[in-house]
Amino acid sequence: MKRISILLAAVMMATVVMAQWTMEMYDQYTYADYTTYAPFNQSLESTDYDIDLLEAAVFYETNRQRALNGLSQLQFDYNLMVCAHNHSVDMVNLDFFSHTSPVEGKTSFTDRMRQVGYDRCWSAENIAYCAIESSYAETAKHLLNQWMNSSGHRANILNPRYTHIGCGTACYLDGGFVYVKATQNFMEKK
């Protein structure tokens, strides 16, 4: 499944290009070898982004951190990814950075999880933002470095109870620089 989005940030527009990455590809790679897929090492252009590729890179770098800490790998979950992606897009389009959204019906993380069919489950959300780095993989590593250096975010990433994850991103231009807002949604599935 491929997604094409147009994200607005202030007056400037950044176009999201047709994805080189598909959801079916998550099972073909691991955190240890995903960068052998050459597009992960491509530079992020100032106006064109492959959001699916960036979200996959965040997924794999999250699992790298879990492996480094002796934990099992999280499984990709499409609904969690949609939830995370939509929150990142809302944060860009509405110019906010918070777990609390100004969008009616999506105010809380719990509201957003219900929208994708998950209710009363053990779950958590991380958010971060940064300037893009030299490649998709390097940008994902930068985001994970931020989260791992924050005790609450680190606790979510390294929680052994979680079994599934969805990562969402949205890029935007601000003052001539490209930034990304990212969301991770974690969940325990029994």
Side-chain angles (χ1 to χ4, degrees):
M1 179 178 296
K2 295 184 178 183
R3 293 177 284 137
I4 301 175
S5 304
I6 297 179
L7 306 174
L8 299 175
V11 181
M12 306 183 94
M13 187 185 323
T15 305
V16 179
V17 298
M18 181 63 81
Q20 299 176 62
W21 185 261
T22 63
M23 301 307 122
E24 295 77 24
M25 296 171 77
Y26 276 94
D27 291 333
Q28 296 176 20
Y29 297 92
T30 69
Y31 71 88
D33 67 0
Y34 84 95
T35 57
T36 62
Y37 182 63
F40 282 115
N41 302 304
Q42 290 175 346
S43 114
L44 277 79
E45 299 300 321
S46 62
T47 56
D48 295 319
Y49 317 97
D50 184 333
I51 290 300
D52 293 319
L53 199 61
L54 185 52
E55 291 171 352
V58 173
F59 166 82
Y60 289 118
E61 288 302 325
T62 302
N63 274 331
R64 179 185 312 280
Q65 290 302 320
R66 287 179 63 90
L68 289 171
N69 287 277
L71 296 169
S72 63
Q73 302 299 285
L74 296 168
Q75 298 299 307
F76 169 77
D77 184 276
Y78 179 78
N79 289 346
L80 291 175
M81 184 271 303
V82 168
C83 184
H85 175 81
N86 289 344
H87 187 59
S88 293
V89 169
D90 286 346
M91 287 193 295
V92 166
N93 287 342
L94 300 173
D95 193 25
F96 73 96
F97 182 72
S98 175
H99 293 284
T100 304
S101 171
V103 179
E104 187 174 335
K106 297 185 345 180
T107 303
S108 71
F109 172 57
T110 302
D111 293 337
R112 294 188 293 276
M113 289 289 281
R114 282 188 191 121
Q115 286 190 335
V116 296
Y118 296 134
D119 193 20
R120 296 187 179 153
C121 56
W122 190 265
S123 58
E125 177 180 76
N126 284 347
I127 60 173
Y129 72 93
C130 70
I132 62 166
E133 298 292 326
S134 59
S135 69
Y136 292 92
E138 289 303 314
T139 301
K141 288 175 186 176
H142 185 89
L143 288 165
L144 262 295
N145 186 52
Q146 285 185 19
W147 281 319
M148 293 303 288
N149 285 313
S150 163
S151 61
H153 297 105
R154 180 185 179 90
N156 287 338
I157 291 168
L158 300 181
N159 188 328
R161 189 168 179 176
Y162 295 131
T163 58
H164 290 74
I165 187 172
C167 304
T169 62
C171 295
Y172 62 103
L173 301 172
D174 187 14
F177 296 98
V178 182
Y179 296 88
V180 60
K181 288 185 179 177
T183 306
Q184 294 175 307
N185 288 338
F186 303 90
M187 189 172 106
E188 175 189 45
K189 280 189 178 181
K190 293 183 179 189

